[in-house]
Amino acid sequence: MLDKEAGKAAGAAQPAGQKRALRQPSIKDIARLARVSHPTVSRALQNSPLVNAQTAAKIRKIADEAGYRASAVARGLVTRRTRTIGLVVTTVADPFASEVVCGVEETANDHGYSVFLADSNADPVREKKVVQAFAERRVDGIIVTSSRVGALYLPLLAEMMVPIMLVNDQYPGAFVHSVMISNFEGMRAASEHLVGLGHRRIAYLGDKFGYASDTERVAGYRAALDAAGIPAMPELIVHGDGKPEAAMTAIEKLLTLADPPTAVCCYNDMSALGAMRQIRARGLRVPEDISVAGFDDLFFASYTQPPLTTVRQPMRRMGQLAMENLIKLMSGEESVEQIKVDAELIVRESTTMRS
Amino acid sequence: MLDKEAGKAAGAAQPAGQKRALRQPSIKDIARLARVSHPTVSRALQNSPLVNAQTAAKIRKIADEAGYRASAVARGLVTRRTRTIGLVVTTVADPFASEVVCGVEETANDHGYSVFLADSNADPVREKKVVQAFAERRVDGIIVTSSRVGALYLPLLAEMMVPIMLVNDQYPGAFVHSVMISNFEGMRAASEHLVGLGHRRIAYLGDKFGYASDTERVAGYRAALDAAGIPAMPELIVHGDGKPEAAMTAIEKLLTLADPPTAVCCYNDMSALGAMRQIRARGLRVPEDISVAGFDDLFFASYTQPPLTTVRQPMRRMGQLAMENLIKLMSGEESVEQIKVDAELIVRESTTMRS
DNA sequence: CTCTTGATTGCACACGTGTACGGACGAAGA
DNA sequence: TCTTCGTCCGTACACGTGTGCAATCAAGAG
């Protein structure tokens, strides 16, 4: 026993002698200091009832003084759970995504999970690398935001056999769960609002990628117009890409119409931002000449000039919900397949009565 | 040898029999399939010259068909390097931060690193948890953005003995490296621009937290005024918190002055957003009554009404630089202590000649 | 005083990978 | 034929933690 310990000490001393400072203390170091075995240290730090209270206290004290931090990687190896999730997003630079990320990260941390963040940039090559990285990291679960990527590599994700949670993307697979906003009702409310203001020629500025969310929002827009007895006017539906620049060129088609619309519903706030800019560029005023409504209620919506009427998505809350349910799924509980949160119309000053 | 193999198979079969699908294939599974030892598989997958080319090809084929993904956690345990970094930010919901995150994540992935993201929310308790989590995860390096947190827990970070990179935060410690924007020159350029437009009563709307960046920007502002022979006017310096709301109340103090300023330099674009809103709320016009300049050039700066004159920070590039240099540091190379990138004045329409 | 029981603790594994070391084998040279 | 050398592969560790099981010890019951 003695020579064994000596051997250990020597074995540890050889490499440690030169670079002791470069290695973090291990559970065995603490065990040696406390003159107990390493399993006892392990149990003490887990507050196991199997170890004497005094011994545990002493061990914890020593561990604390030594600045001991248990290695999550070693623990993950033996427990087969890393308490880690992968979060993939087209780009965090998008305000919608960053709010969702915020919500996810917040509740993940509260539950002892760490999150790996990865931008896909909607680039298939990068997406593959990202998924492969998550698989190698042995994440316990995955959350995906921002749509279309889903259809491309969800089969790959399925191989990893971990729960997957989608935010604002509806993918028809049995193994996926999702958090969604009520796109239909939200956009219908915005459209009804415009109808109520007397508008008849109401345009829709959509997203050319044809996300499920865009499809649902157009449907809500149509439903409101139908209910008001306004016939469908195909020339009033144009497409951007969800970003300001494309919205500027898209709305140009509406403005140059012989009989331009008096109001426009935008797929999202970013599109509305571009739309308003282009409207002004043509010497028209918002809302006097054209009313503009957005979708999302990003932080800048109340600071545009005029402040933007929009449909609020509780983005952070959606991130929280996604993470909360992912945690349930990861611990084996069953969870509702699709969580739907309500959209809320926020009326500001970018919409007004038809003049 | 035979019974040993049989023992292995039995040992693996017992738990695997029920839940084989729940376990990802290990290197030993591949070894068994390829009828070689697991070290050979390990070497083959690393393209080691120590293994026969044909054997290696065969092994790689088998591994590929089996959907084998080497466990980064097991590898991290033995190599003592996780190829993982921790990225702490006050909140990703802040557009500045999210751009930096984007740059970091992009180059991290390109170099085989994964990034743990954590929001501190400037909450000390959460910050502690975050740092502890990073320590337990055995990250190879850390990047911190958004200032003041640095001073609070950098000593903790130092304990982990990993390189630390700061973005836009100057902390006087030998062990930290940073990438910064030329705050002084940037704000001086903005101020000179206003002086050049004939303004004499130029205000500064700063950040009450007194970040190093704020201090440097005020100095740049003062320098420009001094150079123009404009005396310092303390009542023209007010403080927000870098966000729109606080900027609204801060600028109110300027607007109610007996002799209000004709131009205002804002600490950042978010402050400028609030400032412009409040200016309009009081019935004044930008830039006719008051010129407004921002700092950062966030994505919305060109979409405000009027488009915002501001000082551009190459945020994404700064994130890239931080990551690139962190990689150098992690591989033992020495790196420049402080990387400084240039700020660039972007003149738009929110500033004009003094009327 | 002996047996039983409960409270603590240590031993021996396992997790999945990387690597130093030695052994087997064939080819080439003496 | 024997030695030598290079190629290729397997054996035996190690990394740091968690956990089933056995061992030890003290105390109480009989």
Side-chain angles (χ1 to χ4, degrees):
Chain A
M1 181 152 180
L2 272 179
D3 60 348
K4 187 169 185 182
E5 200 167 330
K8 260 195 211 166
Q14 275 302 18
Q18 303 170 338
K19 42 173 78 176
R20 156 147 340 197
L22 291 184
R23 208 194 45 145
Q24 305 212 12
S26 83
I27 200 173
K28 292 185 184 174
D29 296 324
I30 306 302
R32 205 176 310 127
L33 289 174
R35 303 189 178 285
V36 294
S37 68
H38 82 264
T40 301
V41 175
S42 173
R43 286 188 266 256
L45 298 181
Q46 291 177 67
N47 294 321
S48 162
L50 290 179
V51 36
N52 180 283
Q54 295 178 25
T55 320
K58 173 181 151 202
I59 291 175
R60 276 193 289 268
K61 182 161 171 284
I62 292 178
D64 197 51
E65 289 171 357
Y68 172 71
R69 298 270 108 110
S71 163
V73 8
R75 178 183 298 142
L77 183 58
V78 50
T79 63
R80 297 169 148 298
R81 315 198 76 236
T82 56
R83 293 188 79 77
T84 276
I85 71 142
L87 176 53
V88 17
V89 64
T90 54
T91 169
V92 266
D94 175 52
F96 176 87
S98 62
E99 285 283 349
V100 173
V101 170
C102 219
V104 169
E105 200 275 336
E106 181 183 332
T107 93
N109 263 29
D110 287 347
H111 291 79
Y113 280 86
S114 293
V115 0
F116 280 116
L117 178 72
D119 288 16
S120 71
N121 287 331
D123 167 14
V125 177
R126 176 168 286 267
E127 279 167 21
K128 273 228 169 187
K129 283 184 65 175
V130 160
V131 174
Q132 183 162 344
F134 283 171
E136 294 186 354
R137 300 292 180 189
R138 298 293 193 263
V139 297
D140 293 338
I142 290 183
I143 296 180
V144 182
T145 65
S146 311
S147 327
R148 110 189 99 125
V149 290
L152 292 175
Y153 67 87
L154 268 178
L156 282 178
L157 294 177
E159 274 186 16
M160 315 177 40
M161 304 168 303
V162 296
I164 298 174
M165 198 89 203
L166 264 38
V167 177
N168 257 16
D169 186 349
Q170 192 180 12
Y171 186 76
F175 56 88
V176 274
H177 299 248
S178 62
V179 173
M180 299 184 311
I181 189 80
S182 47
N183 287 302
F184 180 89
E185 293 81 359
M187 190 55 87
R188 185 176 58 184
S191 306
E192 280 172 352
H193 163 68
L194 291 169
V195 167
L197 288 171
H199 294 278
R200 302 279 299 176
R201 284 189 69 78
I202 303 173
Y204 179 82
L205 198 168
D207 184 337
K208 67 181 173 198
F209 293 123
Y211 292 162
S213 55
D214 182 68
T215 309
E216 293 175 18
R217 289 177 199 175
V218 193
Y221 154 81
R222 282 244 168 83
L225 269 56
D226 285 350
I230 303 175
M233 293 160 288
E235 78 274 17
L236 290 188
I237 295 189
V238 294
H239 296 278
D241 64 357
K243 283 178 284 186
E245 288 78 10
M248 289 174 66
T249 68
I251 201 169
E252 186 64 13
K253 294 179 203 153
L254 296 174
L255 301 179
T256 53
L257 245 38
D259 185 10
T262 62
V264 53
C265 290
C266 300
Y267 169 72
N268 62 8
D269 287 355
M270 294 295 263
S271 298
L273 208 54
M276 287 172 73
R277 179 158 165 58
Q278 187 63 18
I279 290 171
R280 279 193 304 265
R282 291 194 67 86
L284 299 173
R285 296 159 302 166
V286 177
E288 292 81 357
D289 298 312
I290 299 189
S291 287
V292 175
F295 203 108
D296 282 352
D297 194 30
L298 301 180
F299 73 93
F300 61 75
S302 52
Y303 292 99
T304 56
Q305 170 64 357
L308 187 64
T309 291
T310 191
V311 178
R312 175 176 297 169
Q313 291 202 60
M315 299 162 284
R316 191 167 306 208
R317 179 74 193 124
M318 291 166 74
Q320 294 171 347
L321 280 171
M323 188 62 210
E324 287 169 7
N325 278 80
L326 186 62
I327 289 176
K328 281 188 191 168
L329 291 171
M330 291 186 298
S331 52
E333 295 177 44
E334 266 316 302
S335 166
V336 272
E337 281 240 330
Q338 299 198 343
I339 299 167
K340 203 156 192 173
V341 301
D342 287 334
E344 179 192 2
L345 177 67
I346 307 290
V347 178
R348 295 206 180 89
E349 301 163 31
S350 67
T351 51
T352 191
M353 301 278 290
R354 185 179 69 163
S355 57
Chain B
M1 182 153 178
L2 273 179
D3 60 348
K4 188 170 185 181
E5 199 167 330
K8 260 194 211 166
Q14 274 302 16
Q18 303 172 338
K19 42 174 80 177
R20 156 149 339 195
L22 291 183
R23 208 193 46 142
Q24 306 212 11
S26 82
I27 199 173
K28 292 185 184 174
D29 296 323
I30 306 303
R32 206 175 309 127
L33 289 174
R35 303 191 178 284
V36 294
S37 67
H38 82 265
T40 302
V41 176
S42 173
R43 287 187 268 254
L45 298 180
Q46 292 177 66
N47 294 322
S48 162
L50 290 180
V51 36
N52 180 283
Q54 295 178 25
T55 319
K58 172 182 150 202
I59 291 175
R60 276 193 289 269
K61 181 161 171 287
I62 291 178
D64 197 50
E65 289 171 354
Y68 171 71
R69 299 268 106 110
S71 163
V73 9
R75 178 183 297 141
L77 183 59
V78 49
T79 62
R80 299 170 148 297
R81 315 198 76 236
T82 55
R83 293 189 78 78
T84 276
I85 71 143
L87 175 53
V88 17
V89 64
T90 54
T91 169
V92 266
D94 175 51
F96 176 88
S98 63
E99 285 283 349
V100 173
V101 169
C102 218
V104 169
E105 199 277 336
E106 181 183 332
T107 93
N109 262 30
D110 286 346
H111 290 79
Y113 280 85
S114 294
V115 359
F116 280 118
L117 178 71
D119 288 15
S120 71
N121 286 332
D123 167 14
V125 176
R126 177 169 284 268
E127 280 166 20
K128 273 228 170 186
K129 283 185 65 176
V130 160
V131 174
Q132 183 162 343
F134 283 171
E136 295 187 354
R137 300 292 179 189
R138 298 292 192 263
V139 297
D140 292 340
I142 290 183
I143 296 181
V144 181
T145 65
S146 312
S147 327
R148 108 189 101 125
V149 290
L152 291 175
Y153 67 87
L154 268 177
L156 282 178
L157 294 177
E159 273 185 16
M160 314 175 41
M161 305 168 303
V162 296
I164 298 173
M165 197 90 203
L166 264 38
V167 176
N168 257 16
D169 185 351
Q170 192 179 11
Y171 186 78
F175 56 88
V176 274
H177 298 248
S178 61
V179 28
M180 300 183 310
I181 190 80
S182 47
N183 287 302
F184 180 88
E185 293 80 359
M187 190 55 87
R188 185 176 60 185
S191 305
E192 281 172 351
H193 163 67
L194 291 169
V195 167
L197 288 172
H199 295 277
R200 301 281 297 176
R201 283 190 69 77
I202 304 173
Y204 180 81
L205 198 168
D207 185 337
K208 68 182 172 197
F209 294 123
Y211 291 162
S213 54
D214 182 68
T215 309
E216 292 174 19
R217 290 178 199 175
V218 192
Y221 154 83
R222 281 246 168 81
L225 269 56
D226 285 351
I230 303 174
M233 294 160 288
E235 78 275 16
L236 290 189
I237 296 189
V238 294
H239 295 280
D241 64 357
K243 284 178 283 187
E245 288 78 11
M248 289 174 66
T249 67
I251 202 169
E252 186 66 14
K253 292 179 203 153
L254 295 173
L255 300 179
T256 53
L257 243 41
D259 187 11
T262 63
V264 54
C265 289
C266 299
Y267 169 72
N268 62 9
D269 287 355
M270 294 295 262
S271 297
L273 208 54
M276 287 172 71
R277 178 156 164 61
Q278 186 63 16
I279 290 170
R280 281 193 302 266
R282 291 193 66 87
L284 298 173
R285 294 160 304 166
V286 177
E288 293 81 358
D289 298 312
I290 298 190
S291 288
V292 175
F295 203 108
D296 282 351
D297 194 30
L298 301 181
F299 71 93
F300 60 77
S302 52
Y303 292 100
T304 57
Q305 170 64 356
L308 187 64
T309 291
T310 190
V311 178
R312 174 175 297 169
Q313 292 201 59
M315 298 162 286
R316 191 167 306 207
R317 179 74 194 124
M318 291 165 76
Q320 294 172 348
L321 281 171
M323 189 62 211
E324 287 169 6
N325 278 80
L326 187 61
I327 289 175
K328 281 188 192 170
L329 291 171
M330 291 186 298
S331 51
E333 294 178 43
E334 267 315 302
S335 164
V336 272
E337 282 239 330
Q338 300 198 342
I339 300 168
K340 204 158 193 172
V341 300
D342 287 336
E344 179 192 3
L345 178 67
I346 307 289
V347 178
R348 296 204 180 90
E349 301 163 31
S350 68
T351 50
T352 190
M353 301 278 290
R354 185 179 68 163
S355 56

